[in-house]
Amino acid sequence: MKITSDAEISDIKKARLLLKSVTQTKSKTSSWLDCSSKTGGSCWEDSGGKAIDQERLWKAVVELANEEDARLLLQRAVECCPLHVELWLALARLETYDNAKKVLNKAREKLSKEPAIWITAAKLEEANGNTTMVGKILERGIRACKEKVL
């Protein structure tokens, strides 16, 4: 990872602190500073009340974690940021075939019009020899993406 600004250095420091907090806290109620109740889930706040981009912070934390911790962190990340496609896709990549299908199904519930979710689901089936499902998934994805926005 190439660091290009003081803001990125600050984000990395925050991510390391968050990772340390998460890995040392066995409880599901960790010491994360979540401001989602105030802002509809769009940010976190640091101790000074400054908003932090959640997706960017989650990505930084996951990069610092080992694979098992990354999976756990991403599970929490998609709960906190259910509209961030990259987090869903990253979680699916770390899961077994069966769990990846479940993750992508949940992602489609939240982001039914997101082509990347449908394409990844089709690729997953293809990679596991389920070629008959590939076309079905893509057809459903095309229909979902064409539906009117309410």
Side-chain angles (χ1 to χ4, degrees):
M1 175 166 50
K2 185 176 179 182
I3 299 170
T4 58
S5 71
D6 289 339
E8 288 178 348
I9 292 171
S10 176
D11 284 349
I12 290 170
K13 288 178 182 176
K14 290 174 187 170
R16 285 188 177 136
L17 287 172
L18 180 60
L19 178 62
K20 184 178 179 182
S21 171
V22 169
T23 56
Q24 289 178 349
T25 305
K26 298 294 182 193
S27 164
K28 289 190 184 244
T29 56
S30 69
S31 60
W32 297 335
L33 244 37
D34 187 0
C35 72
S36 60
S37 61
K38 297 179 204 168
T39 63
S42 62
C43 72
W44 285 353
E45 291 179 0
D46 63 13
S47 58
K50 182 180 172 187
I52 302 169
D53 177 12
Q54 275 192 30
E55 184 177 19
R56 189 171 163 189
L57 184 58
W58 278 116
K59 287 178 184 178
V61 171
V62 169
E63 284 181 13
L64 297 171
N66 63 42
E67 188 173 326
E68 183 57 32
D69 287 342
R71 184 178 306 118
L72 295 173
L73 288 164
L74 284 166
Q75 287 170 350
R76 178 68 175 132
V78 297
E79 289 174 16
C80 294
C81 309
L83 302 179
H84 291 281
V85 177
E86 288 185 37
L87 297 175
W88 285 105
L89 298 177
L91 177 58
R93 282 191 296 271
L94 291 177
E95 294 289 358
T96 63
Y97 167 67
D98 288 330
N99 287 339
K101 285 183 4 180
K102 292 174 187 175
V103 166
L104 292 170
N105 286 336
K106 287 181 185 177
R108 285 187 291 215
E109 290 173 13
K110 303 290 184 185
L111 299 161
S112 63
K113 296 183 184 307
E114 178 54 55
I117 301 290
W118 292 96
I119 292 167
T120 301
K123 285 180 178 180
L124 176 68
E125 294 301 336
E126 183 179 44
N128 284 277
N130 298 325
T131 54
T132 57
M133 287 300 297
V134 174
K136 292 176 185 178
I137 291 169
L138 292 176
E139 286 176 20
R140 289 183 200 143
I142 290 168
R143 279 196 308 269
C145 291
K146 283 184 176 179
E147 287 179 4
K148 287 184 182 179
V149 177
L150 297 176

